[in-house]
Amino acid sequence: MDVGKNVQKALTNGWYSWQAIAIARDSAAYNRTVQAIKDTRGQGGSARSRLKATRRSQGLAGAHRYYKNMRRLQSDRLALGHAQTRYPRSGGTHHRYGEIRTGVPRGGAPQTGWRGTMARFGTSRIGSTVRAGGRLLAPLGAVTGGYDIYRALRGGEGMSTTDRVVTGLGGAGGLAAGGLATYALVAGAALGPVGLGIIAVGGAVAAGAWLYENREAVGEAAKKVVDVGKKAFEGAKDIGKKVWKGLFG
């Protein structure tokens, strides 16, 4: 029972961490894209055409970021629809689904290199399956978050005041993040920047609290990983010495 509970908590908090990191990463990528758009704004055409192109490019970048954030919480098609509605391009029309999915304007050159590989993985069946599995952890996160709040209020189990505070904060973060993610999944609702921010921050708090509660086990596991790394390095070094000696005496 304890093993199953620990696995469930580890998966849930891993999902929370993924949400927080991905939302921050997508925001940073969006800011870089917008800055690049601004840097090229003065090149070619009339002032009006440049402004229109800038608005369209920024709108597409925003739609792509929003779609990537929402597709981790609900189906791909639903996330695309929300992104299209939320970020119409200048003139009142909407970006095409293909543009939003890739972040590349129609007729534009596709992404290459590492970013292109990651973009293709994100739209692949494997990426879709991983996200679908992750969505199932949102309701579990909300339930375990509520239970952690109950544990913190009840006390006992040898919990110190600090343990109760950390557990309560982690439970509140997990309940908020998991509850909002479940709402987006079940109701098919579109979340705004505040909702996505709550999922990111609440998930980070929940994951941090879980790491604190399991700090001894995490520290022991990290020590074992370091020990294994040292042994592997020493073994590789010995092999290297023997090879060098065999070749050059």
Side-chain angles (χ1 to χ4, degrees):
M1 182 68 178
D2 287 340
V3 173
K5 180 182 176 182
N6 289 335
V7 169
Q8 181 262 314
K9 290 276 282 187
L11 288 173
T12 302
N13 284 283
W15 184 78
Y16 281 147
S17 301
W18 178 35
Q19 297 303 308
I21 293 170
I23 289 174
R25 180 199 62 204
D26 292 341
S27 295
Y30 169 74
N31 289 333
R32 288 195 301 270
T33 300
V34 170
Q35 187 57 51
I37 292 169
K38 290 179 178 177
D39 291 342
T40 60
R41 185 164 48 192
Q43 299 177 9
S46 65
R48 183 179 178 184
S49 65
R50 290 198 301 269
L51 180 61
K52 187 175 180 179
T54 299
R55 285 177 176 172
R56 185 185 188 284
S57 298
Q58 287 188 232
L60 178 57
H64 179 60
R65 174 187 60 168
Y66 187 76
Y67 156 68
K68 288 175 68 178
N69 285 328
M70 290 302 297
R71 73 178 178 179
R72 291 190 295 272
L73 306 175
Q74 50 194 207
S75 71
D76 189 79
R77 189 77 177 181
L78 196 56
L80 280 168
H82 286 321
Q84 189 184 57
T85 302
R86 194 175 186 87
Y87 289 91
R89 63 183 193 228
S90 57
T93 55
H94 294 280
H95 300 284
R96 296 170 181 265
Y97 277 3
E99 291 179 303
I100 296 173
R101 185 177 275 117
T102 62
V104 179
R106 190 168 61 130
Q111 290 181 320
T112 58
W114 173 250
R115 290 184 181 179
T117 301
M118 291 304 295
R120 287 190 293 274
F121 173 78
T123 56
S124 68
R125 289 185 180 275
I126 297 175
S128 179
T129 301
V130 170
R131 288 191 297 273
R135 292 180 204 124
L136 299 178
L137 295 173
L140 288 174
V143 172
T144 54
Y147 179 68
D148 283 342
I149 294 175
Y150 167 74
R151 284 176 54 219
L153 294 174
R154 184 188 64 184
E157 303 176 10
M159 296 177 70
S160 66
T161 301
T162 301
D163 289 339
R164 292 177 66 181
V165 171
V166 171
T167 300
L169 288 174
L175 180 60
L180 265 177
T182 302
Y183 169 67
L185 174 64
V186 175
L191 300 181
V194 173
L196 291 172
I198 289 174
I199 290 177
V201 175
V205 170
W210 179 77
L211 287 174
Y212 176 82
E213 288 185 69
N214 297 274
R215 56 193 179 280
E216 293 181 2
V218 172
E220 187 63 28
K223 185 175 180 298
K224 288 181 179 179
V225 170
V226 171
D227 289 341
V228 170
K230 285 182 178 178
K231 289 179 181 178
F233 175 76
E234 292 296 332
K237 187 169 69 173
D238 290 340
I239 292 173
K241 286 181 178 179
K242 290 178 181 178
V243 171
W244 180 270
K245 188 175 181 180
L247 292 173
F248 303 104

